[in-house]
């Protein structure tokens, strides 16, 4: 199925279910990727600053793990986005002439071409290949072109894993194993539990950019599938449940309304106050992370935390 048909099919499924939802992957069209970059600049959105500080203060320790002696490695950045934090490592390793390849992977064509341009300009000696594919297409592709002796070091940063339920995270890590060899590494950025108010404010930001990011899903359906959503008839409503650690993002219908999507030749009915679920942003405990690694069959090598203990980059080895 091509990407357009998959989008239509996922929207049909998501909006036909008794609990309506839109899969989070569809946030990242050109405007969505741009809005996400604005979110990353928000002072309330503490995640990127924490993760950047972790990478900056541990680049040498990480390199020791990545090289395991003097091995060449392929740094595979799944869902790389603008790689603004990974660039901390690229700059440090390029300066030291470390032999490695960088492979950013992202579904978003616009963000990946901007990233390629910026890598060419800032790191002329960097050996990189940008893959405009989804995670599994990329891993499959790399399977056939892996250089002998080059170990895989997979990065899954930015709390991307928080979009999965615990079962989906386990399934993701188990599926990843089929593309890795013993000794390969994966480093995952997890957002940690903290004062609920801090988490809540990170999503209900004062400028309304996260709201625009969520409502952009409706604009995207209008543009690409001939929908007639009126985005101002929906309101972004996130809430955080400290019992489960899940920040749930939703769009709530402000009135009873009907929305037509031409590409599906279907009309969807919304009751007043009915919600469309858009995203989970799960907050973890270190104990949950340990269990996840163990259940999926990885060894935890190290947890790298920021100074406030808000965020962790956990390094797992197969
Ligand atoms: C939350 S952003 C994180 C970007 C970056 N890793 C960071 O830490 O700033 C998620 C990125 O993953 C990409 N993405 C989401 N699902 C994907 C998938 N299934 N395959 C490839 N890329 C995906 C999106 O396009 C987006 O650029």
């Amino acid at each position: 199925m091509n990407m357009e048909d998959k989008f239509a099919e996922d929207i049909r499924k998501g909006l036909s279910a008794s609990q309506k939802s839109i899969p989070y992957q569809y946030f990242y069209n050109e405007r969505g990727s741009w809005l996400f970059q604005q979110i990353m600049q928000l002072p309330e959105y503490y995640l990127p600053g924490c993760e950047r500080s972790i990478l900056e203060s541990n680049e040498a320790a990480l390199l020791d793990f990545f090289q395991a002696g003097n091995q060449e490695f392929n740094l595979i950045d799944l869902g790389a986005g603008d790689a603004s934090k990974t660039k901390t490592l690229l700059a440090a390793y390029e300066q030291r002439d470390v032999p490695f390849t960088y492979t950013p992977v992202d579904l978003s064509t616009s963000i990946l071409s901007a990233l390629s341009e910026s890598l060419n300009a800032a790191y002329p000696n960097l050996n990189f290949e940008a893959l405009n594919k989804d995670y599994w297409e990329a891993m499959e592709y790399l399977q056939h072109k892996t250089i002998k002796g080059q170990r895989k070091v997979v990065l899954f940063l930015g709390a991307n894993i928080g979009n999965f339920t615990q079962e989906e995270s386990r399934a993701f890590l188990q599926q990843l194993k089929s593309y890795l060899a013993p000794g390969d590494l994966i480093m995952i950025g997890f957002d940690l539990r903290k004062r609920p108010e801090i988490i809540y404010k990170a999503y209900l930001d004062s400028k309304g950019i996260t709201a625009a990011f969520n409502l952009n899903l409706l604009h995207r359906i209008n543009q690409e599938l001939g929908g007639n959503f009126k985005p101002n008839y929906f309101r972004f409503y996130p809430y955080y449940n400290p019992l489960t650690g899940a920040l749930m993002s939703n769009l709530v219908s402000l009135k009873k309304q009907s929305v037509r999507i031409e590409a599906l030749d279907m009309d969807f009915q919304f009751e007043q106050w009915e919600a469309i679920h858009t995203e989970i942003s799960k907050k973890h405990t270190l104990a949950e992370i340990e269990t996840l690694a163990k259940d999926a069959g990885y060894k935890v090598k190290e947890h790298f935390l920021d100074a406030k203990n808000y965020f962790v980059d956990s390094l797992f080895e197969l």
Side-chain angles (χ1 to χ4, degrees):
M1 202 186 284
N2 66 30
M3 273 196 193
E4 290 76 30
D5 292 347
K6 182 150 188 344
F7 181 36
E9 177 54 16
D10 285 347
I11 296 305
R12 188 194 62 73
K13 256 201 231 150
L15 296 184
S16 305
S18 55
Q19 163 58 77
K20 294 185 172 69
S21 65
I22 301 178
Y24 70 90
Q25 297 93 295
Y26 297 111
F27 278 129
Y28 299 97
N29 65 347
E30 189 169 355
R31 181 156 182 272
S33 292
W34 180 81
L35 283 165
F36 187 70
Q37 285 182 290
Q38 309 307 304
I39 290 173
M40 291 211 294
Q41 314 285 332
L42 290 167
E44 306 91 312
Y45 195 71
Y46 56 83
L47 292 81
C50 294
E51 192 167 42
R52 180 170 296 105
S53 75
I54 294 171
L55 300 186
E56 273 169 7
S57 31
N58 294 292
E59 54 87 3
L62 286 170
L63 184 60
D64 285 344
F65 280 114
F66 295 172
Q67 286 192 300
N70 212 6
Q71 251 183 294
E72 255 192 67
F73 60 94
N74 187 357
L75 198 59
I76 303 164
D77 198 351
L78 293 182
D82 67 2
S84 54
K85 286 157 290 154
T86 313
K87 283 177 181 168
T88 306
L89 301 182
L90 302 181
Y93 301 165
E94 196 191 41
Q95 240 180 21
R96 296 185 204 183
D97 262 338
V98 173
F100 77 107
T101 306
Y102 178 53
T103 311
V105 174
D106 208 293
L107 269 180
S108 163
T109 313
S110 59
I111 199 86
L112 206 64
S113 58
L115 173 60
S116 298
E117 263 178 46
S118 76
L119 291 177
N120 278 322
Y123 311 101
N125 299 321
L126 179 69
N127 181 12
F128 79 93
E129 182 180 20
L131 300 180
N132 190 198
K133 297 181 185 296
D134 83 13
Y135 304 143
W136 304 123
E137 286 167 354
M139 292 311 294
E140 191 66 43
Y141 169 85
L142 290 171
Q143 196 73 345
H144 299 295
K145 61 165 301 191
T146 297
I147 300 165
K148 206 162 178 263
Q150 196 187 51
R151 95 197 275 231
K152 289 193 179 97
V153 177
V154 176
L155 302 179
F156 198 43
L157 304 183
N160 276 1
I161 199 159
N163 296 142
F164 299 153
T165 63
Q166 198 74 350
E167 297 73 55
E168 287 168 343
S169 298
R170 197 182 314 114
F172 173 84
L173 287 174
Q174 278 167 342
Q175 188 167 352
L176 195 61
K177 269 165 61 177
S178 54
Y179 298 103
L180 303 178
D184 285 348
L185 296 171
I186 170 155
M187 185 162 78
I188 307 179
F190 294 91
D191 196 12
L192 293 172
R193 297 204 191 183
K194 58 188 68 62
R195 272 177 78 116
E197 295 85 346
I198 295 173
I199 294 173
Y200 181 63
K201 277 192 191 147
Y203 293 81
L204 199 65
D205 67 86
S206 52
K207 292 190 179 151
I209 297 177
T210 314
F213 178 66
N214 277 262
L215 288 164
N216 181 55
L217 287 166
L218 308 184
H219 289 287
R220 181 171 183 184
I221 293 172
N222 286 351
Q223 281 159 9
E224 296 181 26
L225 301 179
N228 70 353
F229 272 108
K230 293 194 176 61
N232 56 332
Y233 288 178
F234 288 84
R235 190 172 167 81
F236 173 57
Y237 181 74
Y239 67 91
Y240 177 62
N241 182 350
L243 293 173
T244 59
L247 181 296
M248 306 292 279
S249 293
N250 305 289
L251 292 170
V252 177
S253 175
L254 296 179
K255 49 162 81 179
K256 186 173 167 70
Q257 53 184 315
S258 173
V259 173
R260 173 141 189 94
I261 299 182
E262 286 299 341
L264 299 174
D265 192 18
M266 284 174 80
D267 296 286
F268 297 91
Q269 311 306 325
F270 292 84
E271 292 301 325
Q272 190 179 30
W273 311 130
E274 185 178 353
I276 311 175
H277 174 59
T278 56
E279 188 181 38
I280 306 181
S281 306
K282 164 103 172 120
K283 313 303 167 191
H284 294 82
T285 63
L286 287 180
E288 279 173 338
I289 296 170
E290 295 270 340
T291 305
L292 178 64
K294 191 163 152 261
D295 289 353
Y298 293 82
K299 291 179 278 255
V300 176
K301 299 298 282 184
E302 183 116 18
H303 295 298
F304 295 95
L305 285 113
D306 67 300
K308 291 190 204 153
N309 292 347
Y310 276 11
F311 199 93
V312 63
D313 280 303
S314 298
L315 192 63
F316 299 169
E317 186 185 71
L318 185 60

